[in-house]
Amino acid sequence: MRLQSFPVPLPLPLLLLLTGFCSGTSFPSNINIGGLFPTGSHEYEVFRFALAQHQDVPKLVPQVDMVDTGSSFAMTYAFCSQFSKGVYAIMGLYDRRTVNMLMSFCGSLHVCFITPSFPVQTNNQFVLQLRPQLQEPLMALLEKLKWDRFVYMYSSDSGLTVLQRILDTAAERSWQVTSVNLDTMTKETFIKLLADLDYKKDFQIIIDCELERLNNILNLIAAQKRNLKNYHYILANLGFLDLNVTEFQKLAPNVTGFQLVNWTSPAVEKINRDWMGFDSKDLKLTRKRLKYTGALTYDGVNVMVKAFQNLRQQRIDISRRGNAGECLANPPAPWGQGIDIQRALQLVRLEGLTGHVQFNERGHRTNYTLTVMELSHKGPRKIGFWNEKRGYVNTPVYRPPTEELVDLLNKTYIVTTILEAPYMMLKKNHEQFVGNDKYEGYCAELASEIAKHVGFTYRLELVKDGKYGSRDPESKTWNGMVGELVHKEADMAVAPLTITLVREQVIDFTKPFMSLGISIMIKKPTKSKPGVFSFLDPLAYEIWMCIVFAYIGVSVVLFLVSRFSPYEWQGEESDDEDETVPSSVSQRAPPTSSSEDPHSPGYSKAQNQNQQKDKETPEHTNDFGIFNSLWFSLGAFMQQGCDISPRSLSGRIVGGVWWFFTLIIISSYTANLAAFLTVERMVSPIESAEDLAKQTEIAYGTLEGGSTKDFFSKSKIAVFEKMWSYMRSADPSVFVKSTNEGVMRVRKSKGKYAYLLESSMNEYIEQRKPCDTMKVGGNLDSKGYGVATPKASPLRIPVNLAVLKLNEQAVLDKLKNKWWYDKGECGHKDSGRKDKTSALSLSNVAGVFYILIGGLGLAMLVALVEFCYKSRIESRRMKEIIDAAMMGTSLGGIAGGVGGVATGSLSGGATGRGGENGRVVAHDFPKAGAQGLPCMSKAAGRGLSSTGM
């Protein structure tokens, strides 16, 4: 029996219900997802794993083709095949030969292609690139490392875009970049390249290629067994932790790279465990950990799942009804619902294995974060991160001290310094050198010695702003070398950097490698040669005047005590007097009374009595007249002695104290005479800071923005406060921008400017031509230079120990002698501080000869005066004698006796005065009687008798 079906009319409400149900289920429950992967690829396995993790509605159904991603024909056929099957989106890989073809198809047919392959610069919104771009992070890392000369090794797949960015930046900043295309190199040519780079000392290398190829390159480098201590590699790849660096690590290279996946995240660890157990029964070998490309694939599947879930919730119809169309049609027929799927994919925001997943309007990843890694002796370690908002950021990591010491070998440290002779200078032919070889000086050798003792590599870099380091009072930020250490732009500072409290609060210092203090530099005054009378210089003018007054005073006192003391008067007999006393001294004055008249009665009798008494009465003399006293004092002062000496106790006391006085004075004079005659002295206008503060004729200043200026501004000492007040208000400004400017100002100011600077620099400049500066006075304070490191730096302890060791081994003293004095241009180091002695010349002692000649001339003149004076006296006496004789002859009554008496009286009256040459003659007069006469010398008697004859 045949059954027939008849249409049964349905009620209207039931018909509307069925119609609404059908319209609600218009969104497909199964979403066909295409896949284009190479055979056996890691990304394909992860694609399967990710789809297996998501069984919710809508379910993603894979339509995978295993193709050669490098073949344009195979990729075109597979793409069109999947498009004709009605896939909603495609996930897969490409390379440089097929990427343009895929972009063309996706843009024409409006089919979305999600890929973990290398990113390319495109505006095709239908290609969603899961892998972040590396141009910006790489450029930021180059800025941080301050590379300006390096080698860029790249693969054509991923490196062309980065190469273009590097070349553009190199043109702007004058970088020296050597590019090497790895696609054109064989194993032999690559080994030859490594040898060439080692010969040229190209130690900074960037390698940009895919993970598998990068592993092969690192293994090839490790196989050469070269010492990679001086090398620094940057691996431009997002899977730093996916690399096999076991053998490469043994060569102790410096390696920096990027990591996309945070394997310490609990969510990532759970997914990785699930991946390790996926299809474990069917596998003969245990699965390896997810690679970063697999993590990108997993996030790509999650993006599609969330996008289609959003479309289903919004009830957007994306069903592909009817013929899917031909992908090779001309003109192409785009899929109408493709734009909705593209928008849904682009709007997805999620946290995946590779961090925050988000796309911009061009299909590129945005708002992502990359971890910056380095290779230590124990393996990879995080040192920072990069994101679009903050750029590159250092992250301090705790390292045990033992680990820090070993890790010093695996990094090239940046040592900031400043050009300051003799600490750091460019060599004369520095253009012919690269790196640290361009520099020379005390600090250049000190850095080399420290690195040798500690065992690390370094690169010298000049501070950008040319300053030592001070804090801005308004912004509270540090500049100069201190600022670079605070901001972690440098690892160490080796320079004449003064250890101060404010600096120690933000950075760490080692023990001082040089002790010094603030000193005064002035222009060296011209040397004054000894003058004609320089033999007077050993004693001051006041002393010479006091000696003259003392000489006169002693002579007067000696004269007085000799006059008052009876022991200085000496009696002489007549015979002795005949021999010693001239007749002119013993003559008596002529008679003045009537009793003396020769014509008077009894005159002959009185004369005979006086002659008898004259023979019996002795004469008394005193050797110390005023002239003899002066002569005695002069002889004692000249240490030549004299033919007379005091007899009395008082006179001998005067002579003794005068001898003691002359002993001390002459000894002191003799001790200083040689120095003042043989030394060319420089008369300095100032000798100390007090001299500077007391005057205003000589200006003085310091370096702008240095520790010397801070010292004066904060000092509470009255002298320094006064100096700071002057410097702050001086117009024009006395502050200078550099030490060289301060030195030139001293040299050009003709002694009207003094520069305050560290004593070590002052001593160095004093030894440089034109040798016209000098250090005066002592140091105003005490401080030291130290090697600086950032706070909590692993270099602090080993560098500090190295400085102490160098100090104990006297290496620091040798370096200072080498750069200060051995290379000095002004003679030995003591020549600038001590006066030079030389043989005496005629100009040194000419004054002595002048005094000798003057003394001889004066003696001749005095002798002539004495001769004239004596001749006049004698002529007057002879005239008187002749007159008396003629008078006696004319009287005629008295023949001989009376005439003799008259002659004796006249003679005695004419010459009865004090003795010659300072000798005083006195007589003991008899008691006066009625017939008494004044004392009459024997010469007068002789004159009378001769006249009477």
Side-chain angles (χ1 to χ4, degrees):
M1 183 177 179
R2 187 177 178 181
L3 296 176
Q4 293 181 354
S5 59
F6 298 95
V8 179
L10 295 176
L12 182 59
L14 182 59
L15 181 60
L16 293 175
L17 180 62
L18 291 176
T19 304
F21 177 80
C22 292
S23 64
T25 59
S26 63
F27 194 90
S29 58
N30 293 330
I31 304 295
N32 292 329
I33 300 297
L36 300 176
F37 297 99
T39 304
S41 64
H42 174 71
E43 292 78 13
Y44 169 67
E45 295 296 328
V46 177
F47 180 69
R48 292 179 50 243
F49 167 71
L51 291 177
Q53 297 293 311
H54 299 283
Q55 298 296 329
D56 299 335
V57 177
K59 181 180 180 181
L60 303 184
V61 179
Q63 301 289 334
V64 179
D65 286 329
M66 311 303 293
V67 298
D68 180 10
T69 56
S71 171
S72 298
F73 177 78
M75 288 291 290
T76 301
Y77 179 80
F79 184 88
C80 291
S81 174
Q82 293 192 0
F83 181 74
S84 63
K85 294 178 181 177
V87 295
Y88 291 86
I90 301 175
M91 173 172 280
L93 304 176
Y94 54 71
D95 68 6
R96 70 179 187 279
R97 292 165 292 185
T98 58
V99 59
N100 293 328
M101 178 271 298
L102 281 174
M103 288 186 180
S104 178
F105 277 127
C106 292
S108 300
L109 301 177
H110 290 189
V111 176
C112 292
F113 188 82
I114 302 96
T115 177
S117 294
F118 58 88
V120 293
Q121 293 291 345
T122 178
N123 293 324
N124 192 332
Q125 58 185 349
F126 291 95
V127 178
L128 272 67
Q129 303 180 36
L130 294 166
R131 188 186 301 189
Q133 293 181 321
L134 261 179
Q135 291 97 315
E136 295 302 327
L138 182 60
M139 298 307 297
L141 184 59
L142 291 176
E143 287 286 338
K144 168 63 173 59
L145 299 177
K146 298 181 180 179
W147 282 17
D148 56 5
R149 182 173 182 261
F150 54 89
V151 178
Y152 179 66
M153 301 181 180
Y154 67 96
S155 171
S156 299
D157 288 342
S158 57
L160 291 176
T161 304
V162 179
L163 175 62
Q164 185 60 46
R165 176 62 185 280
I166 290 177
L167 293 179
D168 292 342
T169 307
E172 296 175 359
R173 304 186 182 182
S174 300
W175 288 356
Q176 299 180 22
V177 181
T178 303
S179 59
V180 178
N181 190 343
L182 297 173
D183 296 336
T184 62
M185 305 198 71
T186 62
K187 180 179 178 180
E188 291 74 16
T189 56
F190 186 77
I191 294 175
K192 184 179 179 180
L193 173 65
L194 295 178
D196 188 49
L197 294 178
D198 190 72
Y199 174 77
K200 294 180 180 179
K201 295 184 179 181
D202 285 328
F203 297 145
Q204 297 173 340
I205 302 173
I206 301 174
I207 305 178
D208 186 356
C209 58
E210 292 299 319
L211 201 60
E212 183 177 356
R213 189 171 197 172
L214 184 56
N215 268 322
N216 294 334
I217 291 175
L218 296 181
N219 292 332
L220 185 58
I221 295 174
Q224 306 308 308
K225 303 297 182 181
R226 296 179 182 275
N227 185 5
L228 303 181
K229 180 180 178 181
N230 295 327
Y231 282 83
H232 192 169
Y233 295 90
I234 294 179
L235 306 182
N237 191 281
L238 297 177
F240 191 83
L241 297 178
D242 299 334
L243 295 170
N244 182 12
V245 294
T246 304
E247 296 298 325
F248 188 69
Q249 182 180 352
K250 296 178 181 179
L251 303 179
N254 301 300
V255 183
T256 308
F258 301 95
Q259 177 63 31
L260 180 62
V261 181
N262 181 14
W263 294 110
T264 60
S265 172
V268 176
E269 290 180 350
K270 181 180 182 304
I271 299 298
N272 189 58
R273 287 195 301 269
D274 295 341
W275 157 253
M276 300 288 286
F278 177 65
D279 284 348
S280 58
K281 297 180 180 180
D282 299 335
L283 294 176
K284 298 180 181 179
L285 299 176
T286 305
R287 288 186 183 276
K288 296 182 179 180
R289 189 180 66 177
L290 278 171
K291 299 179 181 179
Y292 85 95
T293 53
L296 289 171
T297 305
Y298 186 89
D299 286 345
V301 173
N302 285 339
V303 168
M304 290 191 293
V305 169
K306 189 169 184 179
F308 286 112
Q309 288 178 348
N310 291 337
L311 289 172
R312 185 172 186 273
Q313 292 175 0
Q314 297 172 11
R315 297 185 178 183
I316 298 177
D317 184 13
I318 59 170
S319 60
R320 299 188 62 178
R321 294 179 293 272
N323 190 4
E326 294 291 337
C327 67
L328 298 179
N330 189 13
W335 177 32
Q337 289 76 23
I339 191 66
D340 297 327
I341 297 177
Q342 184 273 331
R343 289 173 181 170
L345 292 171
Q346 183 180 331
L347 294 175
V348 170
R349 308 285 189 273
L350 59 85
E351 298 297 326
L353 299 181
T354 59
H356 182 73
V357 179
Q358 182 180 350
F359 302 95
N360 60 18
E361 64 278 1
R362 296 182 299 171
H364 296 164
R365 282 282 293 270
T366 184
N367 291 337
Y368 56 92
T369 299
L370 297 181
T371 303
V372 182
M373 311 289 291
E374 72 173 4
L375 185 62
S376 68
H377 74 286
K378 287 189 175 181
R381 174 185 285 115
K382 177 182 178 180
I383 61 172
F385 65 88
W386 180 94
N387 58 35
E388 292 179 354
K389 294 182 179 179
R390 302 180 60 184
Y392 179 81
V393 179
N394 273 321
T395 54
V397 180
Y398 170 75
R399 304 178 181 181
T402 55
E403 186 175 332
E404 291 175 354
L405 293 176
V406 178
D407 195 46
L408 292 176
L409 300 174
N410 301 319
K411 181 179 179 181
T412 299
Y413 288 90
I414 298 175
V415 178
T416 182
T417 186
I418 189 171
L419 289 179
E420 189 77 73
Y423 299 98
M424 188 67 64
M425 302 174 289
L426 287 171
K427 293 181 178 178
K428 294 182 179 179
N429 54 343
H430 62 90
E431 297 86 359
Q432 302 176 7
F433 299 93
V434 295
N436 300 340
D437 297 334
K438 297 186 297 183
Y439 304 99
E440 65 177 357
Y442 180 91
C443 287
E445 295 193 14
L446 176 62
S448 177
E449 291 291 339
I450 292 175
K452 186 188 303 181
H453 281 74
V454 177
F456 66 88
T457 58
Y458 68 97
R459 184 174 72 254
L460 292 173
E461 295 285 349
L462 297 179
V463 61
K464 297 183 182 67
D465 57 9
K467 296 182 179 180
Y468 287 90
S470 60
R471 184 170 56 182
D472 191 305
E474 297 180 358
S475 62
K476 305 299 182 181
T477 59
W478 286 85
N479 57 17
M481 292 181 287
V482 178
E484 291 190 355
L485 294 176
V486 171
H487 301 128
K488 303 294 181 67
E489 297 176 4
D491 301 299
M492 185 168 61
V494 181
L497 191 61
T498 306
I499 302 174
T500 61
L501 174 63
V502 291
R503 290 174 177 172
E504 188 72 41
Q505 292 173 349
V506 293
I507 58 177
D508 288 330
F509 281 100
T510 64
K511 299 296 181 182
F513 62 81
M514 183 179 294
S515 297
L516 62 148
I518 299 175
S519 63
I520 305 172
M521 173 192 289
I522 64 171
K523 185 174 178 61
K524 187 178 295 182
T526 56
K527 295 182 179 180
S528 60
K529 294 185 178 181
V532 173
F533 295 97
S534 60
F535 63 87
L536 299 176
D537 293 339
L539 299 181
Y541 171 78
E542 295 82 1
I543 297 179
W544 284 116
M545 294 302 299
C546 291
I547 290 175
V548 172
F549 288 127
Y551 164 69
I552 297 174
V554 168
S555 300
V556 171
V557 171
L558 182 61
F559 170 73
L560 293 176
V561 298
S562 298
R563 298 294 293 177
F564 286 108
S565 176
Y567 297 102
E568 291 295 345
W569 294 93
Q570 182 179 2
E572 295 184 357
E573 296 298 332
S574 60
D575 295 338
D576 298 334
E577 189 176 326
D578 292 340
E579 298 175 359
T580 60
V581 181
S583 59
S584 61
V585 177
S586 60
Q587 291 177 349
R588 299 296 184 267
T592 57
S593 62
S594 61
S595 61
E596 296 176 4
D597 187 358
H599 302 285
S600 62
Y603 176 79
S604 299
K605 182 178 180 180
Q607 181 182 6
N608 293 334
Q609 292 178 356
N610 289 338
Q611 289 179 354
Q612 185 65 27
K613 290 180 180 181
D614 185 46
K615 293 180 180 179
E616 295 176 358
T617 303
E619 296 180 352
H620 289 78
T621 61
N622 193 330
D623 293 336
F624 285 94
I626 188 62
F627 290 108
N628 277 358
S629 297
L630 291 171
W631 178 251
F632 173 80
S633 300
L634 182 62
F637 184 76
M638 297 297 178
Q639 295 185 335
Q640 299 302 316
C642 186
D643 56 348
I644 59 175
S645 60
R647 295 185 181 92
S648 64
L649 179 60
S650 59
R652 291 180 177 178
I653 291 175
V654 174
V657 297
W658 177 245
W659 289 343
F660 176 77
F661 173 81
T662 57
L663 173 66
I664 301 301
I665 293 296
I666 297 301
S667 299
S668 303
Y669 174 82
T670 306
N672 292 332
L673 179 62
F676 277 85
L677 289 181
T678 60
V679 172
E680 295 181 353
R681 293 173 297 157
M682 292 182 294
V683 181
S684 175
I686 56 173
E687 294 292 344
S688 63
E690 289 77 7
D691 295 342
L692 274 180
K694 291 176 183 177
Q695 56 82 47
T696 57
E697 182 180 358
I698 301 176
Y700 48 90
T702 68
L703 179 68
E704 181 73 38
S707 59
T708 304
K709 182 179 178 181
D710 293 339
F711 166 78
F712 283 99
S713 64
K714 298 178 181 179
S715 177
K716 300 301 181 182
I717 301 175
V719 174
F720 300 151
E721 286 182 334
K722 185 176 180 181
M723 295 176 66
W724 171 246
S725 177
Y726 165 78
M727 289 188 287
R728 184 176 52 185
S729 60
D731 186 25
S733 176
V734 294
F735 300 108
V736 294
K737 296 181 180 178
S738 66
T739 301
N740 290 334
E741 181 182 343
V743 175
M744 293 305 297
R745 189 167 177 178
V746 169
R747 288 173 172 167
K748 295 179 179 180
S749 62
K750 299 180 180 181
K752 299 302 180 182
Y753 181 79
Y755 183 47
L756 301 167
L757 74 167
E758 282 80 4
S759 57
S760 58
M761 181 61 65
N762 199 347
E763 294 167 1
Y764 171 76
I765 296 173
E766 187 177 352
Q767 292 294 315
R768 313 307 295 179
K769 289 182 179 179
C771 307
D772 58 351
T773 64
M774 64 180 293
K775 174 187 174 185
V776 294
N779 294 341
L780 308 187
D781 67 342
S782 178
K783 53 189 174 183
Y785 289 153
V787 178
T789 58
K791 283 290 186 181
S793 170
L795 290 172
R796 182 176 63 88
I797 295 177
V799 171
N800 188 37
L801 295 176
V803 171
L804 292 175
K805 186 175 182 180
L806 293 174
N807 188 30
E808 292 176 356
Q809 295 177 348
V811 176
L812 299 180
D813 294 333
K814 292 179 181 178
L815 288 179
K816 184 171 183 180
N817 287 330
K818 174 182 178 181
W819 290 102
W820 264 255
Y821 308 116
D822 296 346
K823 294 181 178 290
E825 300 171 350
C826 302
H828 193 262
K829 63 181 179 180
D830 293 331
S831 62
R833 303 173 190 168
K834 297 182 180 179
D835 297 318
K836 297 181 179 179
T837 59
S838 58
L840 286 176
S841 61
L842 180 61
S843 61
N844 298 121
V845 293
V848 179
F849 288 92
Y850 294 159
I851 292 178
L852 176 61
I853 296 172
L856 295 177
L858 180 62
M860 295 293 291
L861 180 61
V862 172
L864 180 60
V865 172
E866 287 180 343
F867 175 77
C868 296
Y869 175 77
K870 190 66 176 178
S871 299
R872 184 177 180 183
I873 295 299
E874 287 296 326
S875 64
R876 183 182 300 174
R877 186 176 65 84
M878 291 304 295
K879 182 179 179 182
E880 292 175 352
I881 293 175
I882 294 173
D883 291 341
M886 292 178 65
M887 184 182 296
T889 304
S890 62
L891 290 176
I894 302 174
V898 178
V901 173
T903 305
S905 299
L906 292 171
S907 176
T911 59
R913 286 180 291 272
E916 299 176 357
N917 296 326
R919 185 176 181 182
V920 179
V921 181
H923 300 274
D924 291 333
F925 296 100
K927 294 181 180 180
Q931 302 295 328
L933 295 172
C935 297
M936 183 178 293
S937 66
K938 296 176 70 177
R942 285 195 294 270
L944 179 60
S945 92
S946 61
T947 306
M949 291 167 50

